[in-house]
Amino acid sequence: MGEQRRERADAARNRRAILEAAEELLRLHRPDEVSIEQVAAAAGVGKGTVFHRFGSRAGLMLALMEERAQELSEAIAAGPPPLGPGAPPHERILAFLDAMVALASRNVGLITAHEHAVATQRSAAGPREANPVYRRWHAHVSELIARARPDLDATLVAHLLIGSLHNEPVARLLLDGESERLAAGLRSLATSLLGPGSAPM
Amino acid sequence: MGEQRRERADAARNRRAILEAAEELLRLHRPDEVSIEQVAAAAGVGKGTVFHRFGSRAGLMLALMEERAQELSEAIAAGPPPLGPGAPPHERILAFLDAMVALASRNVGLITAHEHAVATQRSAAGPREANPVYRRWHAHVSELIARARPDLDATLVAHLLIGSLHNEPVARLLLDGESERLAAGLRSLATSLLGPGSAPM
DNA sequence: CTACTATATGGACCGTTGGTCAAGTTGTCT
DNA sequence: AGACAACTTGACCAACGGTCCATATAGTAG
C-alpha cells in the first residue's frame, strides 16, 4: 500500500469551490431546492465534475458533513475533558450531547439535505448509515453508555439519542432556534438513564 | 354543511383494489422500488385513478397507514386498560409503547415508504407532519407524560420516543425481527424517565 | 327504458433531476 | 518538449410524480 498519487491542483481547487458553493446555496435555500446543477453552476464547473469528485449527491453532502463535524470529532477523540478523555462517562455523555446539539443546530439544513439525498438516490442505494460521522458519534456514545450502565442496551440507546437529530419534528425545533430545549430534553433523558449521578433538576 | 355525496360504487371498488395492490407490492419489494404506476397496474386501474383517489404518493401511503393504525387508535381512545383509559399514566405509556412497536414491526416497509414519499414529493410540500396517525400518537403520549411528570418537556420527550420509529438504524432492527429489543429499550427509557414507579429490571 | 349529469377513468404527456459517458483538455513528471 | 494520466464537460438518458381532458359509466329522475 504505497502513497497514492496526490490530487491534481485544479481538481483540489474545484473541490473547494464546489464545497463552498454548496455550503452557500444550502444556507440560502431549502435543501430540496438545491440541485446539483445549481451547485455546479455556482461553483463555476460542469455538472460532471461534481459527480467525479463526490460520486453522488449524497456523497457531496457527506463530504460537507465531515468537514463540519471534524472539530467535534477531534475534541471527543483527544480534546480536553469533559468532552475528551479523562472525565467520567456520565459527564462525557452530557458534554457530548450538548456539543452535538449545538453543532446540529448550526447545520440543520445540511442534515436534512443529506437525508433527502439518500432518500432520492437513484444509483446504488448502498449500505445505509455508511455515514462516517454518524458511525463515529454512535460508537462514542455507545461505548460511554456501556461503561456507565452495563445493564443497558448501549447500542440501541445510543441510536435513540443520536437519532433524535434525524427526527423531523425535532429538526423543526432546531430550525426555530429552540436548540436549548432539545439540549435540555436530551440531558434529562440521559441523566435519568445514567442513574442517580446528578439530580434531574 | 349537509351530507356529502357518497362515493360511487366503482370508485370505492377501485380504492380498495389500489389499497390492496399497494399493500401487496410493499410487502414484496423495497419501498423505493414501488412506483405508483406499478401499483396502478397491479390494481388493474390507470395511473390517473390512483392520483384521483389519493392525491399523491404520500396520500396513498397515508391512507394505508391510517388503515393499519386504526385498531390501535381505537384501543387507546376507548379500549380496556392499560392501553385504554383507566390505568395510571405510567402503565398506559408502557402499554402504548409496546403496542406501537408491535404495530410498527409489522409495517416497517410502510413507514419507510411514507417517509420516502414525503421526501420525494414534487407538488405541495405542505405542512410536514400532517400525518394524522403521528399526531394522534404524539398527543396521546405527550398528555400521559405531562400527567406523570409535569416537570418534563412532555411534547419533546414524546417526539423523542415516537420518533424512534423514523430512525433508520432502528427501522433496520425491526426489519431484522428484533422488535423485542426496541420494545425493551423504549421500556427502560420510559421507566427511567417516569421516575421510580417500577424497577428498571 | 331513456335521458341526463355528476363522477370516475386512463394513459399520453410534461418537467425535473440524479446520474452517465465519450471526447476533448490540462496538469505533472521525466 | 513529450507522454500519460487525471480531469472536465455538457449533451444525453431513464425514471417517476403529477397533470389533463376526452371518454365512459353509475346513479337518478321522469
Side-chain angles (χ1 to χ4, degrees):
Chain A
M1 294 303 167
E3 183 78 49
Q4 56 184 343
R5 267 268 222 286
R6 255 204 23 194
E7 188 172 61
R8 249 167 59 172
D10 53 344
R13 212 181 320 123
N14 282 337
R15 150 171 287 129
R16 286 253 37 97
I18 293 168
L19 248 18
E20 270 155 35
E23 215 153 45
E24 170 80 357
L25 285 178
L26 238 27
R27 199 159 45 71
L28 298 180
H29 309 284
R30 295 194 28 218
D32 54 296
E33 287 172 337
V34 179
S35 72
I36 295 288
E37 296 218 32
Q38 277 175 49
V39 173
V45 303
K47 182 186 183 177
T49 304
V50 178
F51 283 96
H52 274 304
R53 284 306 108 206
F54 299 99
S56 69
R57 188 192 165 88
L60 171 58
M61 300 308 169
L62 223 46
L64 236 26
M65 289 183 87
E66 288 256 41
E67 206 172 76
R68 301 285 186 93
Q70 186 163 4
E71 206 172 320
L72 178 53
S73 289
E74 286 167 8
I76 65 178
L83 215 47
H90 185 214
E91 284 172 33
R92 288 192 74 190
I93 292 183
L94 292 182
F96 173 77
L97 290 178
D98 272 358
M100 179 186 83
V101 171
L103 182 59
S105 78
R106 269 178 277 122
N107 296 282
V108 211
L110 183 49
I111 297 177
T112 312
H114 176 248
E115 226 127 79
H116 180 260
V118 172
T120 64
Q121 210 154 31
R122 215 88 94 187
S123 58
R128 287 279 226 116
E129 192 216 337
N131 181 336
V133 177
Y134 188 97
R135 277 162 98 95
R136 226 173 296 137
W137 289 2
H138 180 269
H140 180 62
V141 172
S142 187
E143 142 110 28
L144 289 175
I145 293 177
R147 275 206 276 150
R149 282 280 309 267
D151 57 307
L152 284 181
D153 187 339
T155 302
L156 175 60
V157 173
H159 279 309
L160 258 25
L161 289 176
I162 303 178
S164 59
L165 300 181
H166 302 291
N167 211 323
E168 196 267 328
V170 171
R172 184 85 62 60
L173 226 60
L174 293 181
L175 229 29
D176 292 351
E178 299 210 63
S179 67
E180 184 42 46
R181 203 172 148 201
L182 173 58
L186 286 181
R187 261 195 313 265
S188 54
L189 246 187
T191 311
S192 299
L193 268 177
L194 300 183
S198 59
M201 180 131 253
Chain B
M1 291 311 162
E3 183 78 49
Q4 54 184 344
R5 268 268 221 288
R6 256 205 21 193
E7 187 172 61
R8 248 168 60 172
D10 54 342
R13 212 180 323 122
N14 282 338
R15 151 171 287 130
R16 287 253 35 98
I18 293 168
L19 247 17
E20 271 154 35
E23 215 152 45
E24 169 81 358
L25 285 178
L26 238 28
R27 200 159 44 70
L28 298 180
H29 309 282
R30 295 195 26 219
D32 54 296
E33 287 172 336
V34 179
S35 72
I36 294 287
E37 296 217 32
Q38 279 175 47
V39 173
V45 303
K47 183 185 184 177
T49 303
V50 178
F51 282 96
H52 276 304
R53 287 303 110 209
F54 301 99
S56 69
R57 186 192 166 89
L60 171 59
M61 299 308 170
L62 223 45
L64 236 25
M65 287 183 87
E66 289 256 40
E67 206 171 74
R68 302 284 187 93
Q70 186 162 3
E71 205 172 322
L72 178 53
S73 289
E74 286 167 9
I76 65 178
L83 216 44
H90 183 213
E91 283 171 33
R92 287 192 74 191
I93 291 183
L94 292 182
F96 173 78
L97 290 178
D98 273 357
M100 178 185 84
V101 170
L103 182 59
S105 78
R106 269 179 278 122
N107 297 282
V108 211
L110 183 49
I111 297 177
T112 313
H114 177 248
E115 224 127 80
H116 180 260
V118 171
T120 64
Q121 210 153 31
R122 213 88 90 187
S123 59
R128 288 278 226 118
E129 188 216 341
N131 182 336
V133 177
Y134 188 97
R135 277 162 99 95
R136 226 173 296 136
W137 289 3
H138 180 269
H140 180 62
V141 172
S142 186
E143 142 110 29
L144 290 175
I145 292 177
R147 275 206 278 148
R149 282 280 309 266
D151 57 306
L152 282 181
D153 186 340
T155 301
L156 174 61
V157 173
H159 279 308
L160 258 24
L161 289 176
I162 303 178
S164 59
L165 300 181
H166 301 291
N167 210 324
E168 196 267 327
V170 171
R172 183 85 61 61
L173 226 59
L174 294 180
L175 230 29
D176 293 352
E178 300 210 64
S179 67
E180 185 41 48
R181 202 172 148 200
L182 173 59
L186 286 181
R187 260 196 313 264
S188 55
L189 245 187
T191 310
S192 298
L193 270 176
L194 300 183
S198 59
M201 179 133 254

Coordinates of all heavy atoms in Angstrom, one line a residue, chain B residues 106-162:
Chain B
R106 N -44.7 -4.7 12.2 CA -45.4 -5.4 11.1 C -45.5 -4.4 9.9 O -46.1 -4.9 8.9 CB -46.8 -5.7 11.7 CG -46.9 -7.1 12.3 CD -48.2 -7.5 12.8 NE -48.5 -6.9 14.1 CZ -49.5 -6.1 14.4 NH1 -50.3 -5.7 13.5 NH2 -49.6 -5.7 15.7
N107 N -45.1 -3.2 10.1 CA -45.3 -2.2 9.0 C -44.1 -1.4 8.7 O -44.2 -0.2 8.3 CB -46.5 -1.4 9.3 CG -47.7 -2.2 9.4 OD1 -48.3 -2.5 8.4 ND2 -48.2 -2.5 10.6
V108 N -42.9 -1.9 8.9 CA -41.7 -1.1 8.7 C -41.7 -0.6 7.2 O -41.4 0.6 7.0 CB -40.4 -1.8 8.9 CG1 -39.3 -0.9 9.3 CG2 -40.6 -3.0 9.8
G109 N -42.0 -1.4 6.3 CA -42.0 -1.0 4.9 C -42.9 0.1 4.6 O -42.5 1.1 3.9
L110 N -44.0 0.1 5.2 CA -45.0 1.2 5.0 C -44.5 2.5 5.6 O -44.5 3.6 4.9 CB -46.3 0.8 5.7 CG -47.4 1.8 5.5 CD1 -47.6 2.2 4.1 CD2 -48.7 1.2 6.1
I111 N -43.9 2.5 6.8 CA -43.4 3.7 7.4 C -42.3 4.2 6.5 O -42.3 5.4 6.1 CB -42.8 3.4 8.8 CG1 -44.0 2.9 9.7 CG2 -42.1 4.6 9.4 CD1 -43.5 2.5 11.1
T112 N -41.4 3.4 6.1 CA -40.3 3.8 5.2 C -40.8 4.4 3.9 O -40.4 5.5 3.5 CB -39.4 2.7 4.9 OG1 -39.1 1.9 6.1 CG2 -38.1 3.1 4.2
A113 N -41.8 3.7 3.4 CA -42.4 4.2 2.1 C -43.0 5.6 2.2 O -42.8 6.4 1.4 CB -43.4 3.2 1.6
H114 N -43.7 5.8 3.3 CA -44.3 7.1 3.5 C -43.2 8.2 3.6 O -43.3 9.2 3.1 CB -45.1 7.1 4.8 CG -45.7 8.4 5.1 ND1 -45.4 9.2 6.2 CD2 -46.7 9.2 4.4 CE1 -46.0 10.3 6.1 NE2 -46.8 10.3 5.1
E115 N -42.2 7.8 4.4 CA -41.1 8.8 4.5 C -40.5 9.1 3.1 O -40.3 10.3 2.8 CB -40.0 8.2 5.4 CG -39.4 9.1 6.4 CD -39.5 8.4 7.8 OE1 -38.6 7.6 8.0 OE2 -40.4 8.6 8.5
H116 N -40.2 8.1 2.4 CA -39.7 8.3 1.1 C -40.6 9.1 0.2 O -40.2 10.0 -0.5 CB -39.5 6.9 0.4 CG -38.9 6.9 -0.9 ND1 -39.7 6.8 -2.0 CD2 -37.7 7.1 -1.4 CE1 -39.0 6.9 -3.1 NE2 -37.7 7.1 -2.8
A117 N -41.9 8.9 0.3 CA -42.9 9.6 -0.5 C -42.8 11.1 -0.1 O -42.8 11.9 -1.0 CB -44.3 9.0 -0.2
V118 N -42.8 11.4 1.1 CA -42.8 12.8 1.6 C -41.5 13.4 1.1 O -41.5 14.6 0.6 CB -42.9 12.9 3.1 CG1 -42.7 14.3 3.5 CG2 -44.3 12.4 3.5
A119 N -40.4 12.7 1.2 CA -39.1 13.3 0.8 C -39.0 13.6 -0.6 O -38.4 14.6 -1.0 CB -38.0 12.3 1.2
T120 N -39.7 12.8 -1.5 CA -39.5 13.0 -2.9 C -40.7 13.7 -3.5 O -40.9 13.7 -4.7 CB -39.4 11.6 -3.6 OG1 -40.6 10.9 -3.4 CG2 -38.2 10.9 -3.1
Q121 N -41.5 14.2 -2.6 CA -42.8 14.9 -3.1 C -42.4 16.0 -4.0 O -41.6 16.9 -3.8 CB -43.5 15.5 -1.9 CG -45.0 15.5 -2.1 CD -45.7 15.4 -0.8 OE1 -45.2 15.9 0.2 NE2 -46.9 14.8 -0.7
R122 N -43.1 16.0 -5.2 CA -42.9 17.0 -6.2 C -43.8 18.2 -6.0 O -43.4 19.4 -6.1 CB -43.1 16.4 -7.6 CG -42.2 17.0 -8.6 CD -40.9 16.2 -8.7 NE -41.0 15.2 -9.7 CZ -40.0 14.3 -9.8 NH1 -38.9 14.4 -9.0 NH2 -40.1 13.3 -10.7
S123 N -45.0 18.0 -5.7 CA -46.0 19.1 -5.6 C -46.0 19.6 -4.2 O -45.0 19.5 -3.5 CB -47.4 18.5 -5.9 OG -47.7 17.5 -5.0
A124 N -47.0 20.3 -3.8 CA -47.1 20.9 -2.5 C -46.4 20.2 -1.4 O -46.8 19.1 -0.9 CB -48.6 21.1 -2.1
A125 N -45.3 20.8 -0.9 CA -44.6 20.2 0.2 C -45.4 20.2 1.5 O -45.1 19.6 2.5 CB -43.2 20.8 0.4
G126 N -46.4 21.0 1.4 CA -47.4 21.1 2.5 C -46.8 21.2 3.9 O -45.6 21.0 4.1
P127 N -47.6 21.4 4.9 CA -47.1 21.4 6.3 C -46.7 20.0 6.7 O -47.6 19.2 6.9 CB -48.3 21.9 7.1 CG -49.5 21.7 6.2 CD -49.0 21.7 4.8
R128 N -45.5 19.8 6.8 CA -45.0 18.5 7.2 C -45.6 17.9 8.5 O -46.2 18.7 9.3 CB -43.5 18.5 7.5 CG -42.7 18.7 6.2 CD -42.5 17.4 5.5 NE -41.1 17.3 5.1 CZ -40.3 16.4 5.5 NH1 -40.7 15.5 6.4 NH2 -39.1 16.3 5.1
E129 N -45.5 16.7 8.7 CA -46.0 16.0 9.9 C -47.5 16.3 10.0 O -48.1 16.3 11.0 CB -45.3 16.5 11.1 CG -45.7 15.7 12.4 CD -45.7 16.7 13.6 OE1 -45.1 17.8 13.5 OE2 -46.3 16.3 14.6
A130 N -48.2 16.4 8.8 CA -49.6 16.5 8.8 C -50.1 15.0 8.9 O -51.3 14.8 8.7 CB -50.1 17.1 7.6
N131 N -49.3 14.1 9.3 CA -49.7 12.7 9.4 C -50.6 12.6 10.6 O -50.1 12.7 11.8 CB -48.4 11.9 9.5 CG -48.7 10.4 9.6 OD1 -49.8 10.0 10.0 ND2 -47.8 9.6 9.3
P132 N -51.8 12.3 10.4 CA -52.8 12.2 11.5 C -52.4 11.1 12.5 O -52.7 11.3 13.7 CB -54.1 11.8 10.8 CG -53.9 12.0 9.3 CD -52.4 11.9 9.1
V133 N -51.9 10.0 12.0 CA -51.5 8.9 12.9 C -50.5 9.4 13.9 O -50.6 9.3 15.1 CB -51.0 7.7 12.1 CG1 -50.6 6.6 13.1 CG2 -52.1 7.2 11.2
Y134 N -49.4 10.0 13.3 CA -48.4 10.5 14.2 C -48.9 11.5 15.2 O -48.6 11.5 16.4 CB -47.3 11.2 13.4 CG -46.1 11.6 14.2 CD1 -45.0 10.8 14.2 CD2 -46.0 12.8 14.9 CE1 -43.8 11.1 15.0 CE2 -44.9 13.1 15.6 CZ -43.8 12.3 15.7 OH -42.7 12.6 16.4
R135 N -49.8 12.4 14.7 CA -50.3 13.4 15.6 C -51.1 12.8 16.7 O -51.0 13.2 17.9 CB -51.3 14.3 14.8 CG -50.6 15.4 14.0 CD -51.6 15.9 13.0 NE -52.3 17.1 13.4 CZ -51.9 18.3 13.1 NH1 -50.7 18.5 12.4 NH2 -52.6 19.4 13.4
R136 N -51.9 11.8 16.4 CA -52.7 11.2 17.4 C -51.8 10.5 18.5 O -52.0 10.7 19.7 CB -53.7 10.2 16.8 CG -55.1 10.2 17.3 CD -56.0 9.3 16.5 NE -56.1 9.7 15.1 CZ -56.0 8.8 14.1 NH1 -55.8 7.5 14.3 NH2 -56.1 9.3 12.8
W137 N -50.9 9.8 18.0 CA -50.0 9.1 18.9 C -49.2 10.1 19.8 O -49.1 9.9 21.0 CB -49.0 8.3 18.2 CG -49.6 7.0 17.5 CD1 -50.9 6.7 17.5 CD2 -48.9 6.0 16.8 NE1 -51.1 5.6 16.9 CE2 -49.9 5.1 16.4 CE3 -47.6 5.8 16.4 CZ2 -49.6 4.0 15.7 CZ3 -47.3 4.7 15.7 CH2 -48.3 3.8 15.3
H138 N -48.7 11.1 19.1 CA -48.0 12.1 19.9 C -48.8 12.8 20.9 O -48.4 13.0 22.1 CB -47.4 13.1 18.9 CG -46.6 14.2 19.7 ND1 -47.1 15.3 20.1 CD2 -45.3 14.2 20.0 CE1 -46.1 16.0 20.8 NE2 -45.0 15.3 20.7
A139 N -50.0 13.2 20.6 CA -50.9 13.8 21.5 C -51.1 12.9 22.7 O -51.1 13.3 23.9 CB -52.2 14.2 20.9
H140 N -51.4 11.7 22.4 CA -51.6 10.7 23.5 C -50.4 10.6 24.5 O -50.6 10.8 25.7 CB -51.9 9.3 22.8 CG -52.1 8.2 23.8 ND1 -53.2 8.2 24.7 CD2 -51.5 7.0 24.0 CE1 -53.2 7.1 25.4 NE2 -52.2 6.4 25.0
V141 N -49.3 10.3 23.9 CA -48.1 10.1 24.8 C -47.7 11.4 25.5 O -47.4 11.4 26.7 CB -46.9 9.6 23.9 CG1 -45.6 9.6 24.8 CG2 -47.2 8.2 23.4
S142 N -47.8 12.4 24.8 CA -47.5 13.7 25.3 C -48.3 14.0 26.6 O -47.8 14.4 27.6 CB -47.7 14.8 24.3 OG -47.3 16.0 24.7
E143 N -49.6 13.8 26.4 CA -50.5 14.0 27.5 C -50.2 13.1 28.7 O -50.3 13.6 29.9 CB -51.9 13.8 27.0 CG -52.9 13.1 28.0 CD -53.9 14.1 28.4 OE1 -54.3 15.0 27.6 OE2 -54.4 14.0 29.6
L144 N -49.9 11.9 28.5 CA -49.6 11.0 29.6 C -48.4 11.4 30.3 O -48.3 11.3 31.5 CB -49.5 9.5 29.0 CG -50.8 8.9 28.6 CD1 -50.6 7.5 28.0 CD2 -51.8 8.8 29.7
I145 N -47.4 11.8 29.5 CA -46.1 12.2 30.2 C -46.4 13.4 31.0 O -45.9 13.5 32.2 CB -45.1 12.5 29.1 CG1 -44.6 11.2 28.4 CG2 -43.8 13.1 29.7 CD1 -43.6 11.4 27.3
A146 N -47.1 14.3 30.5 CA -47.4 15.5 31.2 C -48.0 15.2 32.6 O -47.8 15.9 33.6 CB -48.3 16.5 30.4
R147 N -48.9 14.2 32.5 CA -49.6 13.9 33.8 C -48.6 13.2 34.8 O -48.7 13.4 36.0 CB -50.8 13.1 33.5 CG -52.0 13.9 33.2 CD -53.3 13.2 33.5 NE -53.7 12.3 32.4 CZ -54.3 11.2 32.6 NH1 -54.7 10.8 33.8 NH2 -54.6 10.4 31.6
A148 N -47.8 12.3 34.2 CA -46.9 11.6 35.1 C -45.7 12.4 35.6 O -45.3 12.2 36.7 CB -46.4 10.3 34.4
R149 N -45.2 13.2 34.8 CA -44.1 14.0 35.2 C -44.2 15.5 34.7 O -43.6 15.8 33.7 CB -42.8 13.4 34.6 CG -42.3 12.1 35.3 CD -41.5 12.5 36.5 NE -40.4 13.4 36.3 CZ -39.2 13.1 36.0 NH1 -38.8 11.8 35.9 NH2 -38.3 14.0 35.8
P150 N -45.0 16.3 35.4 CA -45.2 17.6 35.0 C -44.0 18.5 34.7 O -44.0 19.5 34.1 CB -46.1 18.2 36.1 CG -46.5 17.0 36.9 CD -45.5 16.0 36.7
D151 N -42.9 18.0 35.3 CA -41.7 18.8 35.2 C -40.9 18.6 33.9 O -40.1 19.4 33.5 CB -40.7 18.5 36.4 CG -40.4 17.0 36.4 OD1 -41.3 16.2 36.4 OD2 -39.2 16.7 36.4
L152 N -41.3 17.6 33.2 CA -40.6 17.3 31.9 C -41.2 18.1 30.7 O -42.3 18.6 30.8 CB -40.7 15.8 31.6 CG -39.8 14.9 32.3 CD1 -40.0 13.5 31.8 CD2 -38.4 15.3 32.1
D153 N -40.4 18.2 29.7 CA -40.9 18.8 28.4 C -41.6 17.7 27.7 O -41.1 17.0 26.8 CB -39.7 19.3 27.6 CG -40.1 20.1 26.4 OD1 -41.3 19.9 25.9 OD2 -39.3 20.8 25.9
A154 N -42.9 17.5 28.0 CA -43.7 16.4 27.5 C -43.7 16.3 26.0 O -43.5 15.2 25.4 CB -45.1 16.4 28.1
T155 N -43.9 17.4 25.4 CA -44.0 17.5 23.9 C -42.7 16.9 23.3 O -42.8 16.0 22.4 CB -44.2 18.9 23.5 OG1 -45.4 19.4 24.0 CG2 -44.3 19.0 22.0
L156 N -41.6 17.4 23.8 CA -40.4 17.0 23.2 C -40.1 15.5 23.5 O -39.7 14.8 22.6 CB -39.2 17.9 23.8 CG -37.8 17.4 23.4 CD1 -37.7 17.5 21.9 CD2 -36.8 18.3 24.1
V157 N -40.3 15.1 24.7 CA -40.0 13.7 25.0 C -40.9 12.8 24.2 O -40.4 11.7 23.8 CB -40.2 13.5 26.6 CG1 -40.0 12.0 26.9 CG2 -39.1 14.3 27.3
A158 N -42.1 13.2 24.0 CA -43.0 12.3 23.2 C -42.4 12.2 21.8 O -42.4 11.1 21.2 CB -44.4 12.9 23.2
H159 N -41.9 13.3 21.3 CA -41.3 13.2 19.9 C -40.1 12.3 19.9 O -39.9 11.5 19.0 CB -40.9 14.6 19.5 CG -42.0 15.5 18.9 ND1 -42.8 15.0 17.9 CD2 -42.3 16.7 19.2 CE1 -43.7 16.0 17.6 NE2 -43.4 17.0 18.4
L160 N -39.4 12.4 21.0 CA -38.2 11.5 21.1 C -38.6 10.0 21.1 O -37.9 9.2 20.4 CB -37.4 11.9 22.4 CG -36.2 12.8 22.2 CD1 -36.1 13.6 21.0 CD2 -35.9 13.6 23.5
L161 N -39.6 9.7 21.9 CA -40.0 8.3 22.0 C -40.6 7.8 20.7 O -40.2 6.8 20.1 CB -41.0 8.2 23.1 CG -40.4 8.3 24.5 CD1 -41.6 8.3 25.5 CD2 -39.4 7.3 24.8
I162 N -41.6 8.5 20.2 CA -42.3 8.1 19.0 C -41.4 8.2 17.8 O -41.4 7.3 16.9 CB -43.6 8.9 18.8 CG1 -44.4 8.7 20.0 CG2 -44.3 8.3 17.6 CD1 -45.7 9.5 19.9

